[in-house]
Amino acid sequence: MDSRTFFSQLAWAMGLATAGILALYAIPALHAGIPLAWIALCFFIGFSLALYVAAKRTAKSSKKTHFINLVLGMTILKMLFSFVLIAAYSHWAHPASNLFALPFFGIYLIFTIFETAFMIRVGKS
């Protein structure tokens, strides 16, 4: 996958996530999750960029196990950071209900689909 395709698809993922966050302003029950959603969007954009750079490097490696290890390691790291992000936000913001996490999981899903698609393409190259 070339850089142009990656950044084009990243823009689509960002646009979809941004539209979802903006739609949250119309749902009062989810207002507590809006700040976390913006934080998550920034986090996943940075994570996707780091993953793309690392994947391009390891895909060219003579050992294909390096790419598989990268995918597994980054998946675990993403889940760990996601848990820490939700726990920290919950601790500092003290949201009134647990619905604050729903927007986060929506963004998580968007970026997981995006990352899976580009990792498959990078792995084929």
Side-chain angles (χ1 to χ4, degrees):
M1 168 183 266
D2 65 341
S3 295
R4 174 180 272 184
T5 304
F6 169 77
F7 284 111
S8 172
Q9 291 176 357
L10 178 61
W12 276 100
M14 288 169 38
L16 182 61
T18 300
I21 294 170
L22 294 175
L24 293 175
Y25 286 97
I27 306 170
L30 298 177
H31 280 190
I34 292 173
L36 178 62
W38 287 116
I39 293 167
L41 178 61
C42 294
F43 168 73
F44 289 125
I45 290 168
F47 189 86
S48 295
L49 290 169
L51 183 58
Y52 177 71
V53 170
K56 289 287 278 190
R57 260 190 229 157
T58 58
K60 295 176 184 177
S61 173
S62 60
K63 290 189 175 186
K64 294 302 172 189
T65 57
H66 290 188
F67 185 76
I68 294 168
N69 290 339
L70 173 75
V71 172
L72 291 174
M74 292 300 266
T75 300
I76 292 169
L77 194 62
K78 180 179 173 183
M79 291 173 68
L80 178 65
F81 279 140
S82 295
F83 174 75
V84 168
L85 190 59
I86 289 173
Y89 181 79
S90 177
H91 177 72
W92 287 316
H94 303 291
S97 76
N98 289 337
L99 292 177
F100 78 93
L102 285 178
F104 176 88
F105 289 120
I107 295 169
Y108 183 94
L109 180 64
I110 290 168
F111 276 88
T112 298
I113 291 169
F114 163 67
E115 290 165 4
T116 302
F118 87 72
M119 290 297 283
I120 289 171
R121 289 189 189 114
V122 169
K124 287 181 179 180
S125 64

